C-alpha cells in the first residue's frame, strides 16, 4: 500500500516522503537470540510474510558494517519506510491544497455535543460545525475536552526516547532498517541514522535519561560497531498512544457523528495509509471496512451475555 500512497502524496503535495524499499533486517548476535529469531521467522512464514533467512555471510554481504560475530538474520524485503517529518509536511500541504482548513497550535480544542450527537469542534473559543468529528489526538485522546465518557478510549502515553546520529550521506554504514533485540536503526537519505526506541510506562514524562540513551547506544553498537564514530546530533522523547491491548482503536463510537482513530502504539506511521482510507470510507459511506471491524471501541466494553431464564425448561 505504501508505494501507491507515497506516489499519490508526492503528486498532491509536491514533497517526496522519501519512500525507501530496501527492506528490514533483523539480526541475532548470540545463540539465544538466534533461537528466538528462528521462532519469529517460523511465525512469519506461517502468516505468509515474505521473510528470507540469511546466513552470517549473506547478511554481511548486504550490510558489511554489521558485527561480524552475528549468528543469523532475517530479511523482510516488503517492509518499507518513509521520512515521518517530511510525511507530516506533505500531508499538511496536500490537505490544504484539497481545500482543508488547518488550525495549528490551537488552544482548548474540544468536541461539541448537542442532544447526544457530535456537531463539531471548538478551537480557542470558536465553533467549527461538522457533520462528523474524527478524534485522532494520539496519546492525548482521553483528555480531549467534551469527549463523552462512553467514547473515551483506554489509551495511555507510552514514552519512547530516541536519538539520531550523522552518517556520511555518500557513504552510509547502513542501508536497511535494522532490528536488534533491544533497538532499531533507521537510515535516512540525508545521512541521519535514527536509533530507537525505549518503551516506558512513565506517563507524559518528557525527560531524556542517561539510562535510556545508554541502552539505545549499547544495543546499536552491538549490531553495528561503527556507530561509535558517528556524531550524536539529536535526541528526543515521543509519546505513543498505547491501548489496553496495544492495537488501534478505529471507527464508530456508538455516538452519532463521532469517530475515533487512535491507539496505534508504535505503528502510527506504518498504518497511516490504511487508517486514512478506512476512516475516510466510513465517513463517506457509513460502512466500516472489514479490515478495521475488529479494532472498534466496543471491544473494551462489557459484553452482555444472553442467558435462558432458569424457569424455561427444554
Amino acid at each position: 500500500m505504501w508505494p501507491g500512497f507515497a506516489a499519490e502524496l508526492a503528486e498532491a503535495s509536491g514533497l517526496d516522503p522519501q519512500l525507501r524499499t530496501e527492506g528490514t533486517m533483523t539480526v541475532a548476535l548470540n545463540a539465544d537470540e538466534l533461537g528466538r529469531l528462528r521462532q519469529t521467522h517460523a511465525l512469519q512464514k506461517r502468516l505468509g510474510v515474505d521473510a528470507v533467512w540469511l546466513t552470517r555471510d549473506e547478511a554481511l554481504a548486504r550490510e558489511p558494517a554489521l558485527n561480524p560475530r552475528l549468528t543469523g538474520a532475517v530479511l523482510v524485503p516488503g517492509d518499507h519506510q518513509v521520512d515521518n517529518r517530511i510525511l507530516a509536511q506533505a500531508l499538511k500541504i496536500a490537505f490544504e491544497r484539497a481545500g482543508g482548513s488547518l488550525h495549528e497550535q490551537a488552544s482548548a480544542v474540544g468536541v461539541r455535543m448537542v442532544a447526544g450527537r457530535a456537531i463539531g469542534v471548538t478551537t480557542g473559543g470558536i465553533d467549527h460545525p461538522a457533520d462528523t468529528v474524527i478524534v485522532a489526538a494520539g496519546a492525548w485522546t482521553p483528555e480531549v475536552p467534551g469527549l463523552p465518557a462512553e467514547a473515551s478510549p483506554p489509551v495511555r502515553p507510552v514514552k519512547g526516547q530516541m536519538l539520531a546520529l550523522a552518517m556520511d550521506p555518500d557513504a552510509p554504514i547502513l542501508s536497511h532498517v535494522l532490528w536488534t533485540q533491544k533497538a532499531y536503526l533507521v537510515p535516512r537519505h540525508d545521512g541521519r541514522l535514527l536509533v530507537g526506541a525505549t518503551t516506558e510506562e512513565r506517563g507524559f514524562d518528557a525527560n531524556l535519561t542517561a539510562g535510556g540513551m545508554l541502552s539505545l547506544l549499547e544495543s546499536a553498537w552491538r549490531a553495528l560497531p561503527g556507530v561509535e564514530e558517528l556524531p550524536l546530533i539529536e535526541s528526543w522523547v515521543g509519546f505513543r498512544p498505547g491501548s489496553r491491548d496495544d492495537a488501534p482503536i478505529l471507527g464508530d463510537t456508538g455516538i452519532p457523528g463521532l469517530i475515533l482513530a487512535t491507539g496505534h502504539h508504535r505503528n502510527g506511521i506504518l498504518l497511516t495509509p490504511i487508517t486514512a482510507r478506512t476512516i475516510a470510507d466510513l465517513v463517506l459511506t457509513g460502512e466500516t471496512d472489514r479490515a478495521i471491524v475488529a479494532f472498534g471501541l466496543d471491544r473494551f466494553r462489557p459484553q452482555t451475555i444472553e442467558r435462558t431464564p432458569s424457569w424455561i425448561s427444554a
Side-chain angles (χ1 to χ4, degrees):
M1 179 173 283
W2 260 112
F5 183 84
E8 291 176 8
L9 184 58
E11 182 177 356
S13 67
L15 282 182
D16 180 2
Q18 301 291 303
L19 177 72
R20 296 187 59 164
T21 60
E22 290 91 344
T24 294
M25 188 182 296
T26 304
V27 296
L29 297 166
N30 56 43
D32 288 341
E33 292 181 3
L34 184 66
R36 288 194 291 270
L37 186 58
R38 289 195 182 279
Q39 291 177 345
T40 299
H41 181 241
L43 174 61
Q44 290 171 322
K45 300 302 287 185
R46 288 198 299 272
L47 294 175
V49 177
D50 181 15
V52 182
W53 184 266
L54 301 178
T55 65
R56 168 190 172 277
D57 290 343
E58 289 170 336
L60 289 171
R62 292 175 180 271
E63 292 288 1
L66 285 173
N67 189 331
R69 296 181 179 179
L70 69 89
T71 52
V74 170
L75 173 68
V76 180
D79 274 351
H80 300 156
Q81 63 143 312
V82 293
D83 188 312
N84 59 308
R85 293 177 179 176
I86 299 176
L87 175 74
Q89 286 297 109
L91 287 170
K92 173 185 173 181
I93 293 170
F95 174 72
E96 292 179 327
R97 286 184 177 180
S101 178
L102 184 65
H103 300 264
E104 297 185 88
Q105 304 300 324
S107 61
V109 179
V111 178
R112 291 189 65 214
M113 298 289 299
V114 171
R117 178 182 180 85
I119 64 167
V121 298
T122 60
T123 58
I126 300 173
D127 293 337
H128 302 275
D131 294 329
T132 304
V133 175
I134 303 168
V135 179
W140 292 266
T141 299
E143 300 183 8
V144 172
L147 186 66
E150 61 270 34
S152 183
V155 169
R156 71 196 189 282
V158 181
K159 177 181 177 181
Q161 301 183 53
M162 290 191 68
L163 59 90
L165 307 171
M167 302 184 293
D168 180 349
D170 297 321
I173 65 172
L174 185 70
S175 297
H176 296 75
V177 173
L178 182 69
W179 280 86
T180 72
Q181 291 297 309
K182 295 183 179 181
Y184 59 84
L185 294 81
V186 183
R188 299 297 201 205
H189 282 309
D190 62 6
R192 284 179 299 139
L193 180 61
L194 311 187
V195 183
T198 64
T199 301
E200 305 170 59
E201 298 287 352
R202 295 185 179 275
F204 286 107
D205 172 18
N207 290 311
L208 289 161
T209 65
M213 295 294 101
L214 177 63
S215 174
L216 294 176
L217 288 169
E218 192 274 338
S219 297
W221 173 79
R222 286 183 66 235
L224 197 70
V227 299
E228 67 181 4
E229 303 293 337
L230 301 180
L232 174 61
I233 57 173
E234 191 178 1
S235 55
W236 66 94
V237 169
F239 300 106
R240 312 173 185 92
S243 70
R244 193 181 300 160
D245 60 4
D246 289 333
I249 302 174
L250 304 168
D252 181 49
T253 62
I255 293 176
L258 188 61
I259 290 173
L260 290 177
T262 186
H264 292 74
H265 203 266
R266 69 195 315 160
N267 296 313
I269 296 295
L270 299 177
L271 297 175
T272 293
I274 193 168
T275 298
R277 180 179 64 77
T278 54
I279 296 300
D281 287 347
L282 175 58
V283 172
L284 295 172
T285 70
E287 299 294 327
T288 300
D289 191 294
R290 63 181 181 179
I292 64 170
V293 166
F295 301 107
L297 179 63
D298 57 357
R299 73 184 189 272
F300 299 110
R301 292 170 174 156
Q303 301 298 310
T304 300
I305 301 176
E306 295 185 4
R307 300 182 183 275
T308 303
S310 58
W311 48 266
I312 296 179
S313 59

